[in-house]
Amino acid sequence: MANSVLVLGTQWGDEGKGKIVDVLTEQASLVVRFQGGHNAGHTLVIGEEKTVLHLVPSGVLRENVTCVIGNGVVVSPEALFKEIDMLKERGVPVEDRLRISGACPLILPYHIALDQAREKAAGRHAIGTTGRGIGPAYEDKVARRAVRVQDLLSLERFDEKIDVACAYHNATLVGHGMEAVDAEAIKREARIQAERLAPLIADIPGLIDEHRKAGNRIMFEGAQGTLLDVDHGTYPFVTSSNTVAGAACSGSGCGPGTIDYVLGITKAYTTRVGAGPFPTELFDSVGEVLGERGNEFGATTGRQRRCGWYDAVAVKRASILNGITGICLTKLDVMDTLETIQVCVAYELDGKTIDHPPIGADEFARCTPVYESMPGWQANTAGITDMQALPELAQKYIARLEELTGVPIHLVSTGPERNENVVIQWPFGG
């Protein structure tokens, strides 16, 4: 019996996690976000209304669900309040449903300035960050100089930390030819932020434990994707946090035994936003078709995503790294018009065939995909909810992906709506 489910991406992010989390939260009482910042974007489509969330967990649209932001998340108060206000305008009682760990590091103006200055200075070697201060905020965390949400409860302590941080970071900003950040302006803004944040602060490990002991269903919601993990991704073209399953424990405050089931969200093809190696990337009309039919634009930045064939080598490694129980295959319908489909089953690297991704971006960039061709089904799959109703060739494609990754596909998403899914095995209870 699975009472707690962890949902994460197995590729470079943008796999469609938001919709799946939203569907699963119908049976959950607690939804936990455990890493990343407002560089993530989860898109929910309910009827005619589309909602894009960046910090607030996807379960916020459900009644009787508590949503929590764990200590592994870096929080921009400005971005959080903007999102809260947007939801409140739509009639969602966010403050009643949302709780935040006091241990979350804050993203402050100097983080944003540093992020953008570094990307500009890096030129063609830029990582392709969102420029929202995520990386510098995590740097402050591991350097033990972060200003955290809890510091807003003691503004005297907050002011002291801001003075120290600004003195440190302004030296770098001036060195990059940027203006120094005004510490006094940050302090003034903090007085307003503290008043709004204080009621939302809670003991997140205790809350998770309380729900677990009560037998309630818990959902852990990941951001970005496995291949962007700071340790296991295409370093240095990665995000600044750990995106793998193990981060759910350290980023929220629970033990590994708390998690019963790991659901890996996997797109039926592959996309990537920003710079970095991408062996199966397409530069032809097929890539354009995938981008257009899949509406492949970043939910957070609006940047066009790079599109390519399904990379079974990368997904198999993601399955190993995360201990994935089952896969949810998304956007199958995007491939409905393709006559022939390619699947990457291995890489060629420096004259050798390898069956696993290399460590680091330099070798990854030299990898050439080894493809296996399959006939496309060239029939409409949008909205289908029964596996047997899918075209036979689509069923064969799904079965082949299972074989290559070594993990069963338990769900297939055939559209953006909540009910457009083929359910082979339901994660909760199974």
Side-chain angles (χ1 to χ4, degrees):
M1 181 72 173
N3 268 355
S4 59
V5 175
L6 166 57
V7 178
L8 49 75
T10 63
Q11 297 158 308
W12 277 287
D14 309 308
E15 299 95 347
K17 297 182 289 297
K19 171 205 165 173
I20 302 304
V21 169
D22 179 62
V23 170
L24 292 172
T25 52
E26 185 176 10
Q27 294 181 297
S29 67
L30 188 69
V31 180
V32 183
R33 171 80 184 276
F34 59 86
Q35 52 78 215
H38 62 303
N39 55 341
H42 291 172
T43 302
L44 313 178
V45 179
I46 302 167
E48 297 296 319
E49 189 169 61
K50 182 171 78 171
T51 303
V52 180
L53 302 173
H54 304 281
L55 270 174
V56 177
S58 300
V60 74
L61 299 184
R62 299 280 189 185
E63 293 183 13
N64 304 316
V65 173
T66 300
C67 294
V68 305
I69 297 176
N71 57 276
V73 179
V74 288
V75 173
S76 161
E78 182 181 355
L80 179 63
F81 296 148
K82 182 178 180 181
E83 200 161 308
I84 287 174
D85 291 341
M86 176 271 291
L87 288 165
K88 288 175 68 174
E89 286 177 5
R90 298 187 181 191
V92 180
V94 189
E95 280 109 336
D96 295 338
R97 301 176 183 177
L98 181 66
R99 295 295 177 264
I100 302 172
S101 169
C104 290
L106 292 171
I107 299 175
L108 294 163
Y110 46 78
H111 294 130
I112 300 168
L114 283 167
D115 197 356
Q116 296 175 2
R118 289 173 182 171
E119 284 289 276
K120 183 178 179 181
R124 65 185 183 88
H125 299 293
I127 300 297
T129 75
T130 58
R132 301 187 177 197
I134 312 296
Y138 275 115
E139 289 175 36
D140 275 3
K141 174 183 175 177
V142 298
R144 293 169 292 188
R145 58 171 172 262
V147 182
R148 309 203 296 182
V149 168
Q150 67 178 28
D151 294 322
L152 288 168
L153 300 180
S154 172
L155 290 173
E156 182 178 348
R157 178 177 60 192
F158 179 88
D159 289 352
E160 291 175 358
K161 286 193 169 188
I162 289 298
D163 286 336
V164 172
C166 284
Y168 180 84
H169 289 305
N170 278 338
T172 304
L173 287 171
V174 172
H176 276 292
M178 304 280 288
E179 288 187 12
V181 171
D182 185 352
E184 296 306 314
I186 295 175
K187 294 174 189 177
R188 287 194 298 272
E189 187 66 24
R191 270 62 184 164
I192 302 170
Q193 295 169 347
E195 188 174 342
R196 292 195 70 179
L197 274 175
L200 303 179
I201 299 173
D203 171 21
I204 302 307
L207 192 58
I208 294 171
D209 188 57
E210 178 185 320
H211 278 261
R212 183 184 66 81
K213 287 178 177 175
N216 296 332
R217 287 178 166 171
I218 304 170
M219 169 74 62
F220 293 87
E221 176 185 13
Q224 287 89 34
T226 299
L227 299 177
L228 291 175
D229 184 274
V230 69
D231 286 305
H232 301 287
T234 48
Y235 190 90
F237 297 96
V238 292
T239 194
S240 298
S241 61
N242 287 111
T243 61
V244 293
C249 299
S250 59
S252 63
C254 67
T258 304
I259 299 168
D260 300 319
Y261 181 111
V262 181
L263 181 65
I265 313 301
T266 309
K267 200 173 285 185
Y269 47 101
T270 311
T271 61
R272 177 165 197 167
V273 172
F278 184 0
T280 66
E281 185 172 9
L282 293 168
F283 301 95
D284 58 9
S285 59
V286 175
E288 292 177 4
V289 168
L290 294 175
E292 290 170 5
R293 286 181 56 84
N295 190 29
E296 295 297 351
F297 296 90
T300 297
T301 63
R303 291 182 295 181
Q304 186 170 356
R305 298 178 187 135
R306 301 152 65 190
C307 297
W309 295 119
Y310 186 93
D311 189 335
V313 180
V315 176
K316 183 177 181 180
R317 177 48 56 98
S319 299
I320 293 170
L321 291 170
N322 293 297
I324 289 176
T325 311
I327 282 175
C328 172
L329 193 70
T330 65
K331 293 201 170 185
L332 184 72
D333 57 301
V334 173
M335 305 178 74
D336 285 352
T337 63
L338 301 181
E339 182 177 353
T340 303
I341 295 171
Q342 306 276 16
V343 180
C344 175
V345 298
Y347 299 145
E348 291 283 350
L349 176 61
D350 300 335
K352 297 180 180 179
T353 300
I354 60 174
D355 61 358
H356 62 277
I359 295 175
D362 292 341
E363 287 185 327
F364 216 128
R366 298 204 306 274
C367 287
T368 301
V370 177
Y371 285 123
E372 178 178 298
S373 294
M374 299 185 69
W377 44 91
Q378 295 187 287
N380 182 43
T381 64
I384 290 178
T385 58
D386 179 13
M387 177 63 80
Q388 299 308 312
L390 288 172
E392 183 179 354
L393 290 175
Q395 293 182 48
K396 287 184 177 180
Y397 181 68
I398 293 168
R400 183 58 178 146
L401 299 191
E402 284 186 320
E403 292 173 358
L404 290 168
T405 57
V407 178
I409 292 174
H410 285 167
L411 294 167
V412 180
S413 173
T414 56
E417 295 285 350
R418 279 176 171 171
N419 62 344
E420 293 178 330
N421 307 291
V422 175
V423 179
I424 298 114
Q425 180 174 320
W426 191 247
F428 277 127

